[in-house]
Amino acid sequence: AGNPIDRFQSFGSIGISGFKQFRMNLALEQRFQVKVRNKEEIQRLDNLVSWTMGAAYNFLWREQNQAHPLSVIGSAITITPPRFINATASWQTDVYNPKPLRTFNYNIGFNLSSTDARNYFTAPDLALDRDTRKVQAFTDQWNLAFAYSYAGGYGFENRWQTSKNANLVTSYQMSPAWSVEYSAAYDVTNRQMGTQRFSLVRDLHCWQASFTRTFVVGGEDEYYFKIG
């Protein structure tokens, strides 16, 4: 019908095409490091801020009937200061669009513990993904982790749509043998509570017993008991 089609068909894990390609991939990674002097002591903060960018340029954009040669530029920033807070952000930029910022996402994590908080650099696990059957044993301590995420982008009818979520994980070692944990997910956009999970763990010397109560919005509630 006058339209170009693939000369070969792919098979298995090998893909073959009869079309030629002529493109260049571009990537840039920047890392910012800081040195802090405290009297005679110097502390190095390696990779305090990391910024990566990536795009591709198609030299055959006219032959392939594409609107522009340069693809959407993807960017990501990670901020990992010591101690309590960390943050990540990512976005996509279309330099040919009147509204160049097409998507934007970020996540902020806050971790606080009764012990040395410098050991907590990563964001807390989401309540939906966390396996409470693997509860860490704390000795007379508490831990609090909070994460807030935002996702936005142009969707249907070229309107900016957003999604906001918050997650909380907290635990407390009430005695050398007993510990309790609570986690929850909250949909900030729709103002609706998501999954909640309560966990109680008892150390039985060579054994361990745990009881978990899970509340799932729109689903079945779950009781889970394990001894091992």
Side-chain angles (χ1 to χ4, degrees):
N3 298 322
I5 60 175
D6 286 335
R7 183 177 304 170
F8 305 102
Q9 294 183 358
S10 60
F11 58 93
S13 59
I14 302 176
I16 302 176
S17 174
F19 291 103
K20 61 182 179 180
Q21 293 185 1
F22 184 22
R23 58 188 292 131
M24 177 174 60
N25 296 323
L26 307 172
L28 176 64
E29 181 176 356
Q30 304 178 79
R31 296 186 181 185
F32 300 90
Q33 302 179 351
V34 176
K35 290 183 178 180
V36 180
R37 179 185 293 273
N38 185 9
K39 296 181 180 180
E40 299 298 328
E41 182 180 356
I42 298 179
Q43 181 183 6
R44 293 182 54 184
L45 304 180
D46 296 332
N47 302 325
L48 178 63
V49 179
S50 300
W51 184 7
T52 60
M53 301 176 63
Y57 189 92
N58 186 8
F59 293 94
L60 303 178
W61 63 281
R62 290 187 180 91
E63 298 181 21
Q64 298 177 0
N65 297 323
Q66 294 185 0
H68 306 288
L70 185 65
S71 68
V72 174
I73 303 174
S75 304
I77 288 183
T78 302
I79 305 175
T80 54
R83 301 184 72 83
F84 310 117
I85 300 175
N86 58 84
T88 59
S90 61
W91 64 94
Q92 291 184 340
T93 306
D94 186 356
V95 297
Y96 304 104
N97 197 295
K99 299 178 180 179
L101 184 62
R102 306 309 298 170
T103 63
F104 182 74
N105 308 294
Y106 71 84
N107 182 83
I108 299 176
F110 175 78
N111 298 269
L112 188 62
S113 175
S114 58
T115 57
D116 189 2
R118 290 176 296 181
N119 294 329
Y120 300 92
F121 292 131
T122 58
D125 295 334
L126 300 183
L128 294 177
D129 300 331
R130 186 175 178 87
D131 187 359
T132 55
R133 287 169 285 183
K134 299 179 181 179
V135 180
Q136 297 181 358
F138 293 95
T139 304
D140 190 21
Q141 71 171 7
W142 55 268
N143 181 70
L144 175 65
F146 175 79
Y148 180 85
S149 61
Y150 170 92
Y154 286 100
F156 183 68
E157 296 182 353
N158 202 25
R159 294 181 179 178
W160 186 266
Q161 300 178 355
T162 62
S163 177
K164 307 172 187 177
N165 294 277
N167 296 273
L168 174 69
V169 178
T170 180
S171 61
Y172 177 64
Q173 182 79 32
M174 61 186 71
S175 71
W178 289 95
S179 63
V180 62
E181 181 178 289
Y182 171 75
S183 62
Y186 182 74
D187 187 350
V188 182
T189 304
N190 300 317
R191 297 182 180 180
Q192 182 179 8
M193 180 63 70
T195 301
Q196 297 184 72
R197 181 172 292 137
F198 299 88
S199 179
L200 184 64
V201 179
R202 165 68 175 176
D203 187 5
L204 304 174
H205 188 57
C206 297
W207 294 72
Q208 186 182 74
S210 63
F211 173 78
T212 303
R213 176 72 166 92
T214 304
F215 301 88
V216 181
V217 177
E220 297 181 354
D221 295 338
E222 177 183 289
Y223 296 89
Y224 183 85
F225 178 75
K226 176 182 178 180
I227 184 170

